[in-house]
Structures are given as C-alpha cells and as structure tokens.
Amino acid sequence: MKLSSAITTAFFLIILSGASALAAPQLVVDEPNFSFGTIPQGKKVNHVFAIRNSGDTPLTIQRVRPSCGCTAANASSPVIQPGKSGEIKITFDSTNFSGKVSKTVFIDTNDPKSPAVTLTMTGSITEEIQIAPRQLNLGQTKIGTPKEVTISVTNRGNRPLKLVSAKSPISQVVARIRKDQLKPGESGVIDVTVTPRAEDRMLSGYLFITTDNPQKSEIMVPLYASAVK
C-alpha cells in the first residue's frame, strides 16, 4: 500500500511539473497594422493598439520601442494578467515628413514564443506648404560682396496662405518676401541675400519662414556659405 501511494504521489507530481512547465504568457495583437490615410503635414496622429494576454501566467511589457523620435508610445500597464487586455498608445508627429510613410513600434515582453512584436502605422502626408530648395548652400561667397539666391514657396493647401516673415538670426543674411499672400496652388518667391564680413570663414544657420498656417506656422531652411577673399 505504501509503495502504491508513493507511486501515485510521484505520478501527480510529474503531471503538475509538466503543467507548470507549459504555463506561459502569450501576447496577442489582433490588429498590428493601422493606416491613418492621408493627412496634412504637421498633424499629429494618435492611435491605440489593443493587446491581450491569452496565456496562463502574467504578461510583462518589458519595453516599448518606437523606431524614431517622431513617434511616442507607452503601455497602459506594465503587467497584463491572464485573460486580460491592455493598450499601447502611439502618437506620430508628421511635421518633418511628406509622401508615404511607415512607422513601427516594437513591444518586448516575457512571451517565450514571441518576445518581440511589431506594430506598424502607415499613411500619406501632404505638404500644404512646399519649399524649394529645402536648404540653401551658397558655396564660396566673396567677402563684402552680396550673393543672392531665391526660395520658392508654393501653397498646396485649400485655403489662402500668408507669409508673415522671413528672417535669420545671422546678421549677414537678409530675406525679402516678394508676395506675402498666396492663393491655393499659387507660388511666391523669397529673395535671400548673404554678405560675408571680413572676419567670417563659414556661415551656417537657418532662415525662419513664418506663416499663418496653424499646422506649419514656422519653416526652417538650413543655410550654408563659405566666405572667401
């Protein structure tokens, strides 16, 4: 009888040990891809990805990793109990993007089968204000001699655009807006004049274009020039 009881106890311990070994969390994301369609440049996109733990033990969200600084992401809770749900909240800032974009967020968990899961946001971004060129490289510029370049500004939006100002903190750079009111589809020109001084070797900075567009109230255009005698 004692031998039989010992065998039975050992049998149940083996079963319990096997069941414990099989127990694990399991991260499930029913919709890991989200398309935000077409938005104007500068708009922020907010989306919530629903996640759940279909496993037998608590799921730990170890880390949420956006693919770039333009995207912020955080989990609603660091631990999700078996059978429970949670959320991954994501915000994408489209200010510096145009055309088709795809942004990813990686979720690291203690799920042994899928320790890393990828969430993806895709869409298209339209530039309501188009700048050309996107940066000004004047190359070698003679000291004391003004060098002029132009920037084209096109209103791609569906309402009138006002160019409020065009300035640079560099005193050797002067900008003049030829036409400050642009109808939809209309283009305007900004004249930029650079005059290096005797003590200058390199000019590097930005031209700041201010508009009345709430999504794109300020546009920064990089500017470079090398002063020569």
Side-chain angles (χ1 to χ4, degrees):
M1 290 294 291
K2 290 184 179 180
L3 178 61
S4 177
S5 177
I7 292 174
T8 301
T9 301
F11 177 73
F12 278 111
L13 286 174
I14 292 173
I15 292 177
L16 289 173
S17 176
S20 177
L22 293 174
Q26 183 177 9
L27 172 63
V28 176
V29 185
D30 292 324
E31 297 182 5
N33 303 306
F34 171 70
S35 173
F36 54 78
T38 301
I39 61 170
Q41 188 182 57
K43 183 177 181 180
K44 290 186 178 181
V45 178
N46 297 297
H47 183 69
V48 175
F49 287 92
I51 62 176
R52 55 190 170 87
N53 178 10
S54 64
D56 307 302
T57 60
L59 175 74
T60 301
I61 308 297
Q62 298 168 337
R63 190 165 53 157
V64 179
R65 300 178 288 121
S67 58
C68 75
C70 62
T71 307
N74 60 78
S76 58
S77 174
V79 177
I80 301 176
Q81 298 299 324
K84 299 298 182 179
S85 299
E87 296 178 340
I88 303 295
K89 299 178 181 179
I90 296 178
T91 300
F92 165 61
D93 186 350
S94 68
T95 299
N96 297 315
F97 297 88
S98 63
K100 293 183 178 180
V101 297
S102 178
K103 295 299 170 183
T104 54
V105 173
F106 306 98
I107 308 174
D108 298 329
T109 74
N110 62 335
D111 181 344
K113 291 186 177 180
S114 300
V117 172
T118 303
L119 307 178
T120 305
M121 294 178 66
T122 58
S124 295
I125 301 169
T126 58
E127 285 187 284
E128 291 195 352
I129 306 173
Q130 189 174 56
I131 302 292
R134 294 182 181 274
Q135 66 177 25
L136 297 175
N137 191 342
L138 287 83
Q140 292 188 336
T141 305
K142 192 173 181 180
I143 292 173
T145 302
K147 187 172 186 178
E148 186 174 289
V149 292
T150 59
I151 295 176
S152 173
V153 182
T154 303
N155 181 8
R156 298 294 186 190
N158 54 15
R159 61 181 179 180
L161 172 70
K162 182 178 181 180
L163 302 180
V164 179
S165 66
K167 298 178 181 179
S168 173
I170 304 174
S171 59
Q172 300 93 314
V173 178
V174 178
R176 181 178 65 89
I177 300 172
R178 293 190 194 177
K179 185 177 182 180
D180 61 0
Q181 298 285 348
L182 301 178
K183 298 177 182 178
E186 192 174 20
S187 297
V189 173
I190 298 176
D191 297 312
V192 181
T193 304
V194 179
T195 309
R197 296 180 299 208
E199 64 270 22
D200 293 330
R201 293 293 178 268
M202 180 74 69
L203 294 177
S204 177
Y206 292 92
L207 177 70
F208 296 92
I209 303 171
T210 306
T211 79
D212 67 344
N213 185 309
Q215 301 292 343
K216 198 79 171 177
S217 60
E218 186 177 74
I219 303 167
M220 295 190 301
V221 181
L223 183 149
Y224 311 96
S226 178
V228 296
K229 294 182 180 179

